[in-house]
Amino acid sequence: MKIFTNSEIRQIDQYTIENEGVTSLELIDRVARGVADEIIARWKATKPVVIFAGPGNNGADALASGALLAEAGYKVHAYLFNIGGNKLSAECMTCRDRYAQTPGVGLTEIIDSFIVPDFQRNLLIIDGLFGSGLRDPLKGGFAYLVQRINEANATVVSIDIPSGLAGDWNPALISRDVIHATLTLAIQHPRLAFFIADNADLVGEWKVLDIGLSRKAAGEIKSKFYLVEDADVYRALRRRSLFSSKADYGTALIYAGSYGMMGAAVMAARGALRAGVGKVTIEAPKCGYPVIQSAVPEALYSANQGEMYIDRMRPTHKYNAIAIGPGIGTNETTLRALEELLLSAQSPVILDADALNCIAMKPSMLNSLPMLSIITPHAGEFDRLFGHHTSMEARLRKACEVARHYHILIVLKGHYTAIIRPDGKIYFNSSGSPAMATPGSGDVLTGMLAAFMAQDYKAEIATLLAVFLHGLAGELAAEEHGEYGVTASDIADNVGCAIKAIMGPQ
């Protein structure tokens, strides 16, 4: 699914009006119907409704929604901000007049001063102050109003986007000056801001209202942002030939493990095997031999010359994919071995966990990364590599610079894990569960990335497949064990089931 910027959504909206015989008022009526239906489905008419409507079309949406709710038996009062008078859009004026003619509604139009009302208990507030077109942070009276709404402990439904939040980037975000919505009803398309962790408490639950904007216009726009869904993964996964053998599905080498951290190597091996690799070799220190051979007998074990940690990374065979990092530690000898490998590597490599921590200790290694290599940091690892950041949005923006500069792919892990490509495109993952916040989960992902790279998927596709299927495996594991009880082994065990769930009957 494409995620459009504000300007792109305006283009789609304008195209719909100019080319598909739909008026702006008709689109507002569709929004209002969707908002009203959603509220009626969730909350009883005994819940009083207060509307805060701005002077533009977001305010028009809110007023039109209020009229429908009043007709459905809700007690509705609207506060319409028309500061100075004659500030309303033509559509907002029309919706105000329609609303005022609806029996039983209350309307306060604010032209000069405004005293914030006392909020009663059990209140439903409809936020129609400012939509996604807002460019500057709220100030003055509107910032004070938003703060009072946030303090009211009310149920808040924001139309399009919480007022005070920009639809795209929010570098100057002050959360107290943004509506904290219970539910955000996005119009036709989700906004980029919804997928950034900093905004989660502001957006609340979100849902898209389909109001019939032009699919043709949306299809012609080349977006930079996408949401990866099951249909995308279905199209990318290849079905296997009846006459295939393990030789057709590649070989992967994973440098993993050290004394006390061999579990990471086990998880990576299991992830690779469940994701369909032809053969996976775990190169680990000699202390890891009994662990790998007993815990993952399907994997090959290659003994590194180090006893307790990896001290050399010199592949003795040609592999289709190489991954480095799970549990290797940051010993100085291991760091030098990684540096030597990167200097000699001719193909993309996958770097996770301690490999990233080693690079953070010697950042010049970034210059040796082969093009289209994949790094998979969580927020802490990212900051160790590229400096402290105060928000996930700042990390995303920095990741775009880094991916472009080094021509690599960055998998920035978290809810809506972001895959940042060298061309500046960002793919947000839609699968996953809080149950996956468990030790070893990232090691399973590293193995899966190696497996798909080994199977000759391009790096850009391998990342999409591995990240989505890893998240889906976590969801399946949570169905069985609950959000508290999932382990990394459970995630690995469900990778094959996740692939089966996407591909359907074999």
Side-chain angles (χ1 to χ4, degrees):
M1 177 198 294
K2 293 179 180 177
I3 301 169
F4 297 106
T5 63
N6 287 338
S7 62
E8 290 166 345
I9 289 174
R10 283 195 293 273
Q11 291 176 39
I12 296 168
D13 190 88
Q14 195 61 36
Y15 182 94
T16 304
I17 293 170
E18 293 176 357
N19 296 278
E20 298 191 1
V22 181
T23 67
S24 182
L25 271 174
E26 287 173 331
L27 292 178
I28 288 169
D29 288 339
R30 294 178 187 178
V31 172
R33 184 74 269 168
V35 171
D37 286 349
E38 196 65 36
I39 289 174
I40 291 168
R42 291 171 181 251
W43 295 287
K44 296 179 180 180
T46 53
K47 203 170 183 68
V49 177
V50 170
I51 295 171
F52 290 100
N57 284 9
N58 194 243
D61 294 333
L63 292 170
S65 303
L68 293 174
L69 290 172
E71 291 173 357
Y74 290 77
K75 182 180 179 181
V76 183
H77 190 100
Y79 293 89
L80 173 61
F81 290 85
N82 186 15
I83 305 298
N86 300 316
K87 301 293 185 180
L88 305 183
S89 68
E91 292 83 359
C92 193
M93 289 178 62
T94 298
C95 291
R96 174 199 61 185
D97 296 341
R98 287 181 183 174
Y99 173 84
Q101 294 168 9
T102 304
V105 301
L107 175 63
T108 302
E109 188 167 347
I110 299 99
I111 295 176
D112 40 46
S113 61
F114 172 63
I115 299 175
V116 179
D118 291 328
F119 295 112
Q120 64 189 91
R121 298 181 64 183
N122 193 38
L123 191 66
L124 173 65
I125 294 175
I126 297 179
D127 162 32
L129 287 170
F130 302 99
S132 57
L134 187 71
R135 290 179 173 80
D136 299 312
L138 296 182
K139 298 177 182 178
F142 282 118
Y144 176 69
L145 172 61
V146 164
Q147 291 170 23
R148 288 291 308 277
I149 291 172
N150 291 339
E151 294 166 357
N153 197 29
T155 300
V156 181
V157 177
S158 289
I159 299 176
D160 194 27
I161 195 167
S163 291
L165 186 67
D168 300 338
W169 301 109
N170 289 269
L173 179 71
I174 301 175
S175 62
R176 69 171 182 270
D177 296 337
V178 179
I179 289 284
H180 289 50
T182 309
L183 172 67
T184 298
L185 297 173
I187 299 171
Q188 195 66 47
H189 302 284
R191 306 296 188 261
L192 174 62
F194 295 0
F195 301 97
I196 299 174
D198 316 316
N199 307 325
D201 291 339
L202 311 177
V203 175
E205 178 190 352
W206 61 268
K207 184 175 181 178
V208 172
L209 299 180
D210 187 345
I211 64 166
L213 293 183
S214 174
R215 297 185 182 277
K216 181 176 185 295
E220 291 177 352
I221 291 176
K222 295 181 179 179
S223 177
K224 289 180 62 177
F225 310 108
Y226 298 83
L227 180 65
V228 181
E229 298 178 295
D230 52 3
D232 304 308
V233 176
Y234 175 81
R235 286 192 295 269
L237 276 171
R238 307 179 193 128
R239 291 191 175 273
R240 296 192 160 190
S241 167
L242 293 173
F243 295 94
S244 61
S245 73
K246 64 184 178 185
D248 298 310
Y249 302 116
T251 56
L253 172 65
I254 302 177
Y255 288 100
S258 60
Y259 183 76
M261 293 194 288
M262 286 309 304
V266 171
M267 292 303 105
R270 289 179 177 170
L273 289 162
R274 291 293 187 184
V277 70
K279 289 190 292 185
V280 60
T281 298
I282 300 297
E283 180 154 340
K286 292 176 182 177
C287 67
Y289 171 74
V291 178
I292 296 299
Q293 292 291 270
S294 59
V296 199
E298 301 91 344
L300 297 171
Y301 168 79
S302 176
N304 193 264
Q305 67 179 19
E307 291 286 345
M308 299 297 180
Y309 50 82
I310 292 173
D311 65 0
R312 184 175 62 183
M313 296 185 189
R314 299 174 187 169
T316 55
H317 302 286
K318 183 173 178 58
Y319 293 92
N320 301 107
I322 297 177
I324 313 108
I328 64 173
T330 56
N331 182 281
E332 178 64 29
T333 305
T334 303
L335 187 153
R336 289 199 300 269
L338 174 61
E339 184 177 24
E340 182 182 3
L341 175 66
L342 294 180
L343 286 169
S344 62
Q346 301 297 314
S347 301
V349 295
I350 300 148
L351 299 161
D352 181 37
D354 282 333
L356 301 179
N357 293 328
C358 286
I359 294 173
M361 296 167 66
K362 191 170 184 180
S364 61
M365 283 195 276
L366 288 166
N367 296 313
S368 303
L369 293 181
M371 291 175 60
L372 295 180
S373 289
I374 302 166
I375 67 172
T376 64
H378 55 57
E381 291 165 341
F382 187 89
D383 284 4
R384 285 194 285 276
L385 282 166
F386 306 114
H388 177 68
H389 296 80
T390 58
S391 68
M392 282 304 293
E393 177 174 311
R395 290 185 189 95
L396 270 175
R397 293 166 75 95
K398 179 66 175 181
C400 290
E401 296 176 15
V402 171
R404 181 169 55 250
H405 179 76
Y406 294 107
H407 207 83
I408 60 174
L409 290 102
I410 300 176
V411 177
L412 188 53
K413 293 186 286 196
H415 187 52
Y416 298 125
T417 288
I419 301 166
I420 301 98
R421 295 185 175 184
D423 59 4
K425 292 180 179 179
I426 301 177
Y427 289 74
F428 294 96
N429 184 52
S430 65
S431 66
S433 163
M436 300 177 72
T438 187
S441 176
D443 302 323
V444 175
L445 176 61
T446 298
M448 295 175 67
L449 285 164
F452 287 117
M453 289 286 284
Q455 292 171 76
D456 200 31
Y457 287 95
K458 292 182 178 179
E460 299 92 336
I461 302 301
T463 51
L464 299 184
L465 293 178
V467 170
F468 183 91
L469 291 167
H470 180 251
L472 182 54
E475 292 179 23
L476 295 174
E479 289 178 7
E480 181 178 357
H481 299 285
E483 288 188 352
Y484 282 71
V486 169
T487 66
S489 293
D490 300 323
I491 297 171
D493 289 344
N494 276 282
V495 170
C497 298
I499 296 171
K500 180 181 178 182
I502 293 297
M503 298 192 74
Q506 304 298 302

